[in-house]
Amino acid sequence: MKKLVFLIIFLIIGGVSAHGMEITPESFIVIADNSTGKLARSVADETGVNVTVYRFQSPSDVEHELEHALGNPNKMILAVAYQDTVRAFLQRHPELATRVTYCSADEASIREKLLELNSVNTEKMGSGFMTPFLSGALIGVIVGLLTGALWMKRKMG
């Protein structure tokens, strides 16, 4: 019976991606470099968008961050720097086009794209309660049934 419980728990637990540690845990980030980071931060502050600006040092770091967006459906990314890297990544993964975008490093473009991504982010946040709630309820029911069955078996036996 213990093996059955472990098997069921094993089947319930989703797969874990061993891709590496995510260096930007925030859900809305701006990819910048040393020359564009300050401008991106000031535009974000002016618009009131809650975003974290990261200054990346290489295209490979940016590529790694974009790979994390594949596994995190809540991650929104605006690239002010490394646009070529982001463009190439989006060509390989067009499903990210609504959550990952790039713009030129001028104030108007950054403001427009920040507000655009923020509106997508706001829409997604409004509907995200039921899925975790129903998942938790289902897991609770399954665990409760298993525990009850095991308890009843011990009382009868």
Side-chain angles (χ1 to χ4, degrees), residues 1 13 27-28 52 58 68 85 105 122 136 146:
M1 187 49 106
I13 297 174
S27 62
F28 194 179
T52 305
S58 71
H68 283 289
T85 303
T122 304
L146 286 174

Side-chain angles (χ1 to χ4, degrees), residues 77-80 86 90 96-103 113 116-117:
I77 299 175
L78 172 62
V80 177
V86 175
L90 286 174
L96 294 178
T98 58
R99 299 185 294 117
V100 177
T101 191
Y102 53 90
C103 67
K113 290 296 184 177
E116 181 182 312
L117 278 176

Side-chain angles (χ1 to χ4, degrees), residues 41-55:
R41 179 77 262 160
S42 67
V43 172
D45 289 342
E46 287 173 14
T47 58
V49 176
N50 185 16
V51 65
T52 305
V53 177
Y54 285 97
R55 293 181 183 150

Side-chain angles (χ1 to χ4, degrees), residues 2-17:
K2 288 182 183 180
K3 291 180 183 178
L4 179 64
V5 172
F6 286 120
L7 177 64
I8 291 172
I9 290 173
F10 178 74
L11 292 175
I12 290 173
I13 297 174
V16 176
S17 174

Side-chain angles (χ1 to χ4, degrees), residues 82 91 107 129:
Y82 301 103
Q91 286 176 349
E107 193 172 328
F129 172 73

